[in-house]
Amino acid sequence: MKDIVSQKIRQGRILNALSLQELADAIGVSKQMISKYEKGISIPSSKLLIQLAKALKVRVDYFFEPSRVELGEVNFRKRSSFPAKKINALKENIKLQLSNYLEVENILKINNSFINPLNKKKIDKLEDVEIIVRHLRNEWEIGFDPIHNIIQLLEDNEIKVIEIDEPQNDFDGLAAIVNDKYPVIVVNKNFSVERKRFTLLHELGHLLLDLPERDIKFEEQVCNRFASEFLFPKSLVLKEFGNGRKAISFKELIEVQRKYGISIRAIVYRLKECNILSDNKVAEFYRKINFNQSLKQNIDAQRFNTPEFSNRFEQLVYRAYSQELISTSKTASLLNIKVNEVLESKTM
């Protein structure tokens, strides 16, 4: 038990991006004492555990739950300003949320095995993406209508989605396979809904595709094309805008944004990819944005009304609770809420 407590104190500290000194100051002990707790040399008293729980924003029973997921090396897109402390916090966040998710699925005996529907299809050129996206939509039986909730779609297909709060927008997203069997996509929850949807699908491309060993630029181009094609397939681009156009009205762009949940910037670039607008026209569009702040704000406004969210984990927890497979305390622990809130939810 001492080993579990020491491990969870360290994980909780990293999860909150706190140094030893910062955590020590928060609970009124020395930095050396926090180090002893994390090494298992000493164990905090019940009173200090309560203070630690408050400082780390967890329930006390968090310290007695062993971690079920060991996360290996993760490579993801980040801005240069994203510090190592936040990277480590992100990894702990993934471990915690995925561990809870898998625990509930196992309690409910839900098959959480994942099979790549693309079987790591190889990409040699950007033009291959259209065929691959068509294949994936068929495999997932979603046809070619607009998709209203990308997160729900991913989780329905055994891909876990984790949203993190990074208000400075220093983090975009990442995709990883944990323990060689559990696919996870992480996205910044503070993005506009259109940017979040695009990022989720960009990371899905990294997750599912067999990309050739070229430079990172080509890999990013492929994943951007994958996201664009998935959100707004070429056949629908042609249906909405027709063939070669000399001009596009702003009203057309807004209506397509509202219908497909794709940003106006991405729509315009999509028109270039589908040879509906010339390179010069698209370059002119971006020049106008750069020199007109009011136009830029209008272009970047969020207009897709269906929010991107998933309450699947919460539903599974309450399902296990209502079937008396987990206790009230365990339910509260998994959802990180108060026991009273759990009791109030039970209506029948």
Side-chain angles (χ1 to χ4, degrees):
M1 184 59 71
K2 182 187 288 188
D3 289 342
I4 294 173
V5 172
S6 63
Q7 180 187 53
K8 297 306 285 284
I9 290 173
R10 182 176 186 278
Q11 288 176 347
R13 178 177 62 79
I14 294 172
L15 178 63
N16 286 274
L18 296 174
S19 66
L20 288 167
Q21 188 63 61
E22 287 168 335
L23 182 55
D25 292 343
I27 68 168
V29 299
S30 68
K31 172 183 173 181
Q32 290 74 20
M33 185 57 71
I34 296 293
S35 179
K36 288 181 178 181
Y37 292 157
E38 292 189 359
K39 292 176 181 178
I41 298 172
S42 297
I43 188 165
S45 65
S46 298
K47 182 180 178 180
L48 279 175
L49 274 177
I50 293 171
Q51 291 179 261
L52 279 166
K54 184 177 181 180
L56 299 176
K57 304 182 183 75
V58 296
R59 289 169 51 85
V60 172
D61 46 9
Y62 161 82
F63 298 111
F64 305 101
E65 293 283 345
S67 297
R68 299 181 61 256
V69 177
E70 288 301 322
L71 185 64
E73 188 61 31
V74 177
N75 297 313
F76 58 96
R77 298 179 299 119
K78 67 178 182 67
R79 301 187 185 187
S80 58
S81 58
F82 201 62
K85 187 185 287 188
K86 286 193 174 183
I87 294 173
N88 292 330
L90 177 57
K91 289 182 180 181
E92 291 301 327
N93 195 341
I94 294 171
K95 289 167 67 174
L96 176 62
Q97 293 197 45
L98 183 58
S99 179
N100 289 341
Y101 218 131
L102 296 177
E103 181 178 4
V104 175
E105 287 186 333
N106 290 335
I107 289 170
L108 292 168
K109 294 182 170 55
I110 293 174
N111 181 8
N112 50 32
S113 60
F114 172 75
I115 298 175
N116 187 338
L118 297 181
N119 196 24
K120 281 288 184 180
K121 284 186 178 293
K122 191 173 182 180
I123 297 286
D124 291 315
K125 55 186 185 299
L126 285 174
E127 289 69 26
D128 294 337
V129 173
E130 184 181 344
I131 297 171
I132 284 172
V133 169
R134 187 182 305 129
H135 174 78
L136 179 58
R137 277 178 165 263
N138 287 331
E139 284 291 311
W140 282 354
E141 299 180 347
I142 57 174
F144 287 86
D145 293 328
I147 302 167
H148 294 287
N149 193 331
I150 299 295
I151 292 179
Q152 195 73 61
L153 173 67
L154 295 175
E155 294 212 318
D156 285 346
N157 287 281
E158 301 304 335
I159 298 171
K160 305 296 186 287
V161 176
I162 295 173
E163 295 187 74
I164 68 160
D165 187 2
E166 183 51 51
Q168 299 304 315
N169 286 348
D170 289 331
F171 172 81
D172 295 327
L174 73 83
I177 298 288
V178 180
N179 288 4
D180 295 322
K181 62 187 297 188
Y182 304 118
V184 179
I185 293 178
V186 187
V187 68
N188 192 336
K189 69 186 298 183
N190 296 297
F191 285 167
S192 68
V193 67
E194 291 90 353
R195 185 176 175 186
K196 186 187 295 185
R197 287 160 62 83
F198 192 93
T199 301
L200 286 163
L201 291 171
H202 179 105
E203 297 302 333
L204 182 66
H206 281 291
L207 196 66
L208 301 183
L209 299 174
D210 181 10
L211 298 169
E213 294 183 3
R214 301 187 187 182
D215 57 38
I216 294 176
K217 182 179 179 181
F218 178 75
E219 185 175 332
E220 294 299 298
Q221 286 176 335
V222 169
C223 291
N224 281 337
R225 178 69 70 91
F226 178 88
S228 296
E229 183 68 40
F230 202 102
L231 281 173
F232 196 21
K234 184 177 181 179
S235 59
L236 297 182
V237 177
L238 295 172
K239 179 181 176 181
E240 296 287 352
F241 291 100
N243 289 310
R245 298 277 300 270
K246 292 183 178 179
I248 302 288
S249 71
F250 189 48
K251 181 67 173 175
E252 287 177 275
L253 295 173
I254 287 176
E255 291 307 312
V256 168
Q257 179 186 9
R258 286 175 173 157
K259 185 175 181 179
Y260 293 93
I262 182 172
S263 72
I264 287 179
R265 290 175 185 262
I267 295 168
V268 171
Y269 200 85
R270 195 83 181 103
L271 294 174
K272 173 185 173 180
E273 291 175 339
C274 297
N275 298 315
I276 293 173
L277 283 181
S278 68
D279 290 355
N280 288 337
K281 278 291 181 184
V282 173
E284 181 184 341
F285 167 79
Y286 284 111
R287 278 197 300 271
K288 285 182 178 178
I289 293 176
N290 291 335
F291 289 101
N292 188 328
Q293 187 63 29
S294 177
L295 176 62
K296 180 178 181 296
Q297 290 177 349
N298 206 7
I299 291 291
D300 292 338
Q302 176 176 302
R303 296 185 176 90
F304 190 64
N305 290 326
T306 304
E308 277 293 337
F309 68 94
S310 173
N311 57 4
R312 183 172 182 264
F313 174 70
E314 184 179 12
Q315 286 180 323
L316 292 180
V317 172
Y318 277 117
R319 175 176 157 189
Y321 174 59
S322 64
Q323 293 178 229
E324 298 183 351
L325 297 173
I326 57 176
S327 66
T328 303
S329 176
K330 181 66 175 178
T331 302
S333 178
L334 287 168
L335 297 176
N336 200 23
I337 61 176
K338 295 179 180 178
V339 169
N340 285 346
E341 293 180 61
V342 177
L343 294 172
E344 289 170 2
S345 72
K346 198 164 187 177
T347 58
M348 63 181 69

